[in-house]
Amino acid sequence: MTSKGIAPTIASLFPGGLPLWLRAYDGTEAGDTSQPYGLELVNQRGLSYILTAPGDLGLGRAYVAGDLVLHGVHPGDPYEAFSLLKDHTDFGLPGPVKLAEVLLGLGLSNLVPPAPPPQEHLPLWRRRAEGLRGLTAWGRHSQQRDADAIHHHYDVSNTFYEHVLGPSMTYTCAVYPTGDATLEEAQEHKYDLVCRKLGLKPGQRLLDLGCGWGGMVRHAARHYGVKALGVTLSREQATWAQEEIKAQGLDDLAEVRHMDYRDVTETGFDAVSSIGLTEHIGVDNYPAYFGFIAGKLKPRGRLLNHCITRNNNRGKPTAGAFIDRYVFPDGELAGSGTIVRALEDAGLEVQHHENIREHYARTLAGWCRNLAESWDACVAETDEGTARVWGLYMAGSRIGFERNEIQLHHVLATKTVDGDSGYPLRHEF
């Protein structure tokens, strides 16, 4: 080990410098020691994670495994510290001269990759290789592979989600009617806004794709008297949703099925809601997805697509190594223009387009607060590594929405036939 030590060497890899302090297990320190927030590298395995997967993946692995500890914030809501660190994690191993210096200082033994934490999903290249055997017209988004991806993220534990999401059990962006509205009020307002955009009326039929725990189908059935069918690839979500539907006495109007939406055989729906599903289907599959929806709608029927988007229509749709391995395997984001084009190419007429990204920043702040307040219960329900993943990803996503790096768009469209959209002259919602 050279006199430079671990902390200064690692800090030198961060582009633009390290905006908080770093303390390593060899006793060295680096970074901005005036900050109340800092990182502590507690063992050699954490160092190997960082060196063998430079950037957000290696840092994430060390953090999830407990080898890299974040000080000054709660692990359930590391927003304040992560807002300083977020733009400084995109580093790779340096050029030959600098690399030789790093290796001489830290040792070649640290370039042996440790086994990833158990919370990590297969890397993209492995999923692609395995997916080739069952490749379909949907590319790597075969029904089995999509089911595996959804299971990885959503079948954590219904109890865990109850702690994090709150009573609404709604894992999509809320819409805040006022600045002081609660998370629950905002989720209720979101569902009602979707119902009003779809123009739902008693006796109509609604198909909710990727329905989660059934919040939309229950709201539409209870408040608008529609017959609502929701589908989800998560067995735990479907079980919870059906139990809640029965408990609320909505069996005659609402139903949630554990199934791939592509297996829905019914047609002639007055409305389709897609709230947070488009992110999972793959950009290349947008034409098939919206074509499928168009085929399910009656003439003059309506679609409301609620989707996280990029702030432009350029670049790769993937969300980065950490998100792909730990949060949303195979998830892809595109700009809202890409979605609008796909809708129009599928024969649907866009009637309204709205960006509500700032509402998602507020929503994520509420979820992080819930996670921090119920941290011990969440850890007991899953494990500490999983809870850390959630705190890190939600805080990071909040920052992304606040900085307009990602957005959330509602796109309302109709199945217009022979020029007849069935849509009023002006919006009524």
Side-chain angles (χ1 to χ4, degrees):
M1 186 70 64
T2 68
S3 58
K4 189 173 184 181
I6 294 173
T9 301
I10 295 300
S12 70
L13 301 176
F14 283 78
L18 189 59
L20 35 71
W21 56 262
L22 171 65
R23 182 183 306 126
Y25 58 91
D26 66 343
T28 57
E29 293 186 349
D32 187 351
T33 56
S34 68
Q35 282 287 347
Y37 312 113
L39 296 164
E40 182 180 3
L41 186 62
V42 300
N43 56 36
Q44 187 268 340
R45 183 178 65 178
L47 177 60
S48 294
Y49 276 139
I50 294 170
L51 292 179
T52 57
D56 68 333
L57 180 58
L59 291 166
R61 283 173 172 169
Y63 180 74
V64 171
D67 304 332
L68 186 66
V69 179
L70 192 56
H71 289 273
V73 290
H74 193 286
D77 189 5
Y79 169 80
E80 296 294 341
F82 197 32
S83 62
L84 296 174
L85 188 63
K86 185 174 181 290
D87 291 336
H88 298 263
T89 62
D90 187 20
F91 64 85
L93 287 177
V97 175
K98 180 69 174 178
L99 177 59
E101 179 185 337
V102 170
L103 295 181
L104 285 172
L106 301 182
L108 288 171
S109 63
N110 292 306
L111 289 181
V112 178
Q119 294 80 11
E120 185 169 317
H121 199 61
L122 288 174
L124 181 58
W125 69 268
R126 282 278 304 278
R127 301 200 303 272
R128 281 177 172 163
E130 294 184 7
L132 287 175
R133 293 195 294 271
L135 208 59
T136 69
W138 290 80
R140 69 174 183 266
H141 286 269
S142 66
Q143 292 194 12
Q144 183 57 53
R145 182 159 164 174
D146 281 354
D148 291 343
I150 293 300
H151 171 74
H152 176 84
H153 187 72
Y154 291 99
D155 290 344
V156 177
S157 156
N158 284 332
T159 302
F160 176 86
Y161 280 106
E162 287 170 355
H163 289 307
V164 174
L165 303 180
S168 75
M169 282 295 276
T170 299
Y171 185 37
T172 48
C173 177
V175 176
Y176 286 75
T178 61
D180 59 356
T182 67
L183 176 60
E184 288 304 305
E185 290 169 342
Q187 291 292 15
E188 181 84 0
H189 185 75
K190 182 267 298 295
Y191 284 134
D192 205 66
L193 177 62
V194 172
C195 289
R196 286 182 279 121
K197 285 183 173 182
L198 289 172
L200 295 182
K201 297 177 178 60
Q204 290 186 333
R205 295 170 63 227
L206 167 71
L207 174 61
D208 186 35
L209 302 174
C211 68
W213 289 270
M216 178 64 192
V217 297
R218 291 194 306 276
H219 187 96
R222 183 189 312 112
H223 296 287
Y224 288 82
V226 303
K227 191 168 182 62
L229 169 62
V231 294
T232 173
L233 276 176
S234 167
R235 186 179 300 277
E236 289 202 20
Q237 285 182 338
T239 299
W240 192 98
Q242 277 298 105
E243 291 174 353
E244 188 66 16
I245 286 170
K246 185 174 182 179
Q248 295 187 18
L250 296 171
D251 310 57
D252 58 329
L253 290 175
E255 178 188 3
V256 167
R257 298 177 191 167
H258 172 230
M259 66 186 300
D260 192 292
Y261 70 87
R262 288 165 283 198
D263 292 331
V264 174
T265 58
E266 294 94 331
T267 59
F269 290 94
D270 297 278
V272 173
S273 51
S274 175
I275 304 176
L277 177 59
T278 318
E279 299 91 328
H280 297 284
I281 66 168
V283 175
D284 289 344
N285 295 320
Y286 284 0
Y289 180 63
F290 292 121
F292 168 88
I293 290 174
K296 294 299 176 184
L297 284 169
K298 285 181 178 179
R300 297 174 297 282
R302 298 187 192 181
L303 161 68
L304 189 286
N305 194 75
H306 165 127
C307 178
I308 300 172
T309 61
R310 294 189 177 278
N311 62 358
N312 60 64
N313 294 278
R314 304 181 302 274
K316 295 180 179 179
T318 52
F322 179 79
I323 295 295
D324 184 67
R325 301 280 190 96
Y326 284 88
V327 186
F328 291 116
D330 291 339
E332 294 184 352
L333 301 180
S336 65
T338 304
I339 292 173
V340 168
R341 182 177 63 187
L343 277 164
E344 292 176 338
D345 289 349
L348 297 167
E349 182 181 10
V350 173
Q351 301 290 351
H352 187 260
H353 183 180
E354 180 180 12
N355 180 10
I356 54 175
R357 69 167 178 86
E358 294 179 62
H359 293 260
Y360 218 157
R362 286 175 175 264
T363 304
L364 286 155
W367 289 341
C368 277
R369 184 166 53 250
N370 288 344
L371 176 59
E373 291 175 353
S374 56
W375 180 257
D376 291 343
C378 287
V379 169
E381 186 63 27
T382 54
D383 55 74
E384 191 157 352
T386 297
R388 286 197 199 101
V389 167
W390 280 81
L392 189 62
Y393 125 73
M394 292 194 299
S397 297
R398 175 186 172 185
I399 296 165
F401 284 107
E402 286 180 342
R403 297 180 182 178
N404 192 31
E405 295 168 0
I406 45 177
Q407 301 174 345
L408 191 289
H409 282 263
H410 274 192
V411 181
L412 177 64
T414 54
K415 183 176 180 177
T416 300
V417 178
D418 296 329
D420 184 4
S421 68
Y423 201 77
L425 290 175
R426 293 299 301 156
H427 307 303
E428 296 178 340
F429 52 83

